[in-house]
């Protein structure tokens, strides 16, 4: 009985996920001044099977200072500029630049959201939100990657800037290593490597540079969609003995170059 | 006075006649870039440039990755035909990461006098590299750049410096 309930719950949750549609961005991370392509899969939404759908976008959801996109038009009659391009069955794309779409400066734009609808607004998807714009001002951080955008064939360097650590254990951590996990396009982990020895670039800066295919064995034809990294190390306990500690797991989505 | 009346126009005509464009010698000797590219080159330096960070003026713009993997194993050969035009190329990666998926084929340039783009072809497969600078060519340095774009915007690039073998 318990199993039956669990199965029903699983099926319902799966159906719920499909009913939401699926959103992807190219590039995966972007500022308000970057040109971005939204790809929306409306499978399972009220818009499934339609040819003409329109985007209804809004900025700064829940943070104040929000505006409707300049292309929205009226709810009962979307502007033609908001029409999404059909690229396949239930697949639609829309290209935009944040500052142009919302008529706001990069400093004003924090996030945005959108939904897709029919021209007359009789059918719509749920809201997809909030999607953050990357800051145009460099924000120092304890963890960072170089370059900011890369694909899985590029050399990527992960950094731990210890003097920016806020956690006491991370501030005291030594013998610093890194764990890497790589994921395929379906989001399945295809390889993990732990305890990779970092390079001490200075007293407070540790790094590890890699190309995925040199770290794990990539199954033939596998395309990676993202990786995660986690810095680990040791601290001394009250008795002076070594105790393992680790930082948070940080996810990096690979960019699709075109 | 009468004589002067005839002499002056003659002098004027002669002066006018003597005006003609002067030919200046070239400031430098002609550089045949395509011919200078031909030969065998060993990869000596690889710089990874975050073009996006450079555009935004962020502090971390480039990293020298030459020693991350054995890039110095890579050897590139550009050959020319009897007239000095680009013909075939070959790339021996050794243990170096690939700088392009192709290892042999034909190469062409977009402009023989001032090439910007180098196209490598093998059958239908094609890869494009661009010139970094011609400055080092005479002293045996070839600077090639590979740019990766998103929606037409340069996001990431690699600067490869080769030394003639």
């Amino acid at each position: 009985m318990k199993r039956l309930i669990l199965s029903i719950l699983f099926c319902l949750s799966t159906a719920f996920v499909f009913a939401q549609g699926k959103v992807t961005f190219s590039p995966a991370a972007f500022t308000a001044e970057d040109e971005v392509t939204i790809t929306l899969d409306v499978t399972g939404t009220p818009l499934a099977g339609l040819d003409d759908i329109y985007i209804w976008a809004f900025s700064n959801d829940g943070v104040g200072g929000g505006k409707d996109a300049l292309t929205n038009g009226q709810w009962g009659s979307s502007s033609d500029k908001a029409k999404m391009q059909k690229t396949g069955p239930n697949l639609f794309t829309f290209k935009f630049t944040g500052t142009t779409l919302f008529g706001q400066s990069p400093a004003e734009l924090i996030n945005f959201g959108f939904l897709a609808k029919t021209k007359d607004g009789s059918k719509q998807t749920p809201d997809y939100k909030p999607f953050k714009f990357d800051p145009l001002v460099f924000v120092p951080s304890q963890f960072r990657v170089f370059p900011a955008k890369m694909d899985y064939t590029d050399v990527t360097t992960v950094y731990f800037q210890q003097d920016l650590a806020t956690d006491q254990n991370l501030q005291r951590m030594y013998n610093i290593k890194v764990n890497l996990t790589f994921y395929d396009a379906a989001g399945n982990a295809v390889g993990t490597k732990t305890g990779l020895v970092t390079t001490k670039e200075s007293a407070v800066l540790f790094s590890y540079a890699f190309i995925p295919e040199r770290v794990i064995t990539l199954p033939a034809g596998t395309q990676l969609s993202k990786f995660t990294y986690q810095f680990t190390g040791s601290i001394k306990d009250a008795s002076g003995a070594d105790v393992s500690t680790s930082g948070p797991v940080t996810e990096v989505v690979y960019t699709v170059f075109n | 006075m009468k004589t002067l009346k005839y002499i002056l126009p003659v002098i004027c005509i002669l002066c006018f006649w003597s005006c003609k464009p002067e030919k200046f010698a070239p400031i430098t000797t002609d550089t045949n870039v395509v011919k200078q590219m031909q030969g065998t080159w060993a990869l000596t330096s690889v710089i990874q440039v975050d073009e996006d960070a450079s555009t935004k003026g962020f502090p971390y713009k480039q990293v020298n990755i030459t020693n991350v993997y054995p890039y110095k194993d890579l050897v590139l050969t550009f050959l020319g035909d009897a007239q000095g035009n680009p013909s075939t190329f070959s790339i021996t990666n050794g243990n170096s990461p690939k700088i392009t998926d192709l290892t042999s084929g034909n190469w062409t340039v977009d402009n023989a006098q001032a090439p910007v783009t180098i196209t490598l072809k093998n059958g239908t497969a094609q890869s494009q590299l661009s010139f970094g600078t011609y400055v080092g060519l005479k002293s045996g340095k070839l600077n090639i750049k590979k740019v990766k774009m998103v929606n037409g915007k340069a996001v990431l690039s690699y600067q490869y410096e080769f030394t003639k073998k």
Side-chain angles (χ1 to χ4, degrees), chain A residues 34 136 148 154-155 214 258, chain B residues 48 50 95 148 151 153 158:
Chain A
D34 291 331
L136 268 166
D154 290 310
V155 172
R214 300 281 173 131
N258 50 33
Chain B
Q48 193 183 34
D50 188 330
N95 287 317
K148 300 180 99 166
N151 300 332
K153 186 180 165 192
Y158 290 87

Side-chain angles (χ1 to χ4, degrees), chain B residues 9 12 20 25 28 33 35 64 73 114 122 124 134 149-150 155 158:
Chain B
C12 283
K20 55 183 175 185
T28 58
V33 176
K35 212 159 188 180
N64 187 330
D73 277 9
N122 190 331
T124 53
Y134 307 146
M149 324 264 277
V150 174
V155 169
Y158 290 87

Side-chain angles (χ1 to χ4, degrees), chain A residues 28-256:
Chain A
F30 46 83
T31 70
E33 288 194 328
D34 291 331
E35 189 178 76
V36 187
T37 303
I38 299 175
T39 302
L40 175 64
D41 183 347
V42 295
T43 305
T45 73
L47 302 186
L50 297 181
D51 289 329
D52 299 328
I53 71 167
Y54 296 77
I55 192 167
W56 184 272
F58 43 91
S59 66
N60 295 349
D61 182 65
V63 292
K67 279 187 179 177
D68 279 345
L70 299 175
T71 53
N72 281 357
Q74 300 297 314
W75 181 260
S77 176
S78 283
S79 149
D80 286 342
K81 286 180 183 169
K83 192 172 179 181
M84 299 186 80
Q85 196 185 345
K86 190 166 186 177
T87 55
N90 288 340
L91 265 188
F92 294 85
T93 62
F94 185 76
K95 207 178 264 189
F96 75 98
T97 303
T99 48
T100 314
L101 186 67
F102 298 108
Q104 290 178 281
S105 71
E108 290 171 314
L109 286 168
I110 296 161
N111 68 44
F112 82 101
F114 72 95
L115 58 83
K117 62 186 275 289
T118 51
K119 190 173 178 74
D120 61 7
S122 59
K123 290 178 182 174
Q124 67 174 85
T125 63
D127 283 358
Y128 304 109
K129 64 177 188 181
F131 301 105
K132 271 192 152 185
F133 290 108
D134 277 358
L136 268 166
V137 176
F138 181 78
V139 181
S141 156
Q142 59 183 325
F143 304 113
R144 66 180 169 88
V145 293
F146 185 93
K149 291 179 183 127
M150 81 299 283
D151 70 17
Y152 67 95
T153 62
D154 290 310
V155 172
T156 303
T157 310
V158 291
Y159 291 92
F160 170 45
Q161 181 95 35
Q162 197 166 25
D163 57 343
L164 296 177
T166 47
D167 179 84
Q168 231 176 35
N169 283 352
L170 291 178
Q171 289 168 355
R172 295 162 53 206
M173 188 163 75
Y174 64 94
N175 191 19
I176 295 168
K177 292 177 178 167
V178 71
N179 298 337
L180 297 171
T181 302
F182 300 93
Y183 298 84
D184 65 11
N188 304 311
V190 291
T192 296
K193 201 87 178 180
T194 56
L196 297 161
V197 178
T198 59
T199 302
K200 190 172 182 176
E201 301 208 8
S202 73
V204 291
L205 184 64
F206 300 84
S207 71
Y208 185 79
F210 62 93
I211 297 176
E213 66 173 12
R214 300 281 173 131
V215 178
I216 58 164
T217 306
L218 268 181
T222 302
Q223 296 201 330
L224 299 177
S225 63
K226 62 181 181 180
F227 74 94
T228 59
Y229 66 97
Q230 180 185 36
F231 284 93
T232 64
S234 305
I235 53 169
K236 296 278 184 199
D237 68 9
S239 62
D242 283 349
V243 179
S244 294
T245 189
S246 58
V249 175
T250 307
E251 183 180 288
V252 180
V253 177
Y254 283 123
T255 296
V256 178

Side-chain angles (χ1 to χ4, degrees), chain B residues 10-24:
Chain B
V10 170
I11 289 172
C12 283
I13 289 167
L14 280 175
C15 286
F16 196 73
W17 188 255
S18 66
C19 289
K20 55 183 175 185
E22 262 185 84
K23 277 187 182 170
F24 293 102

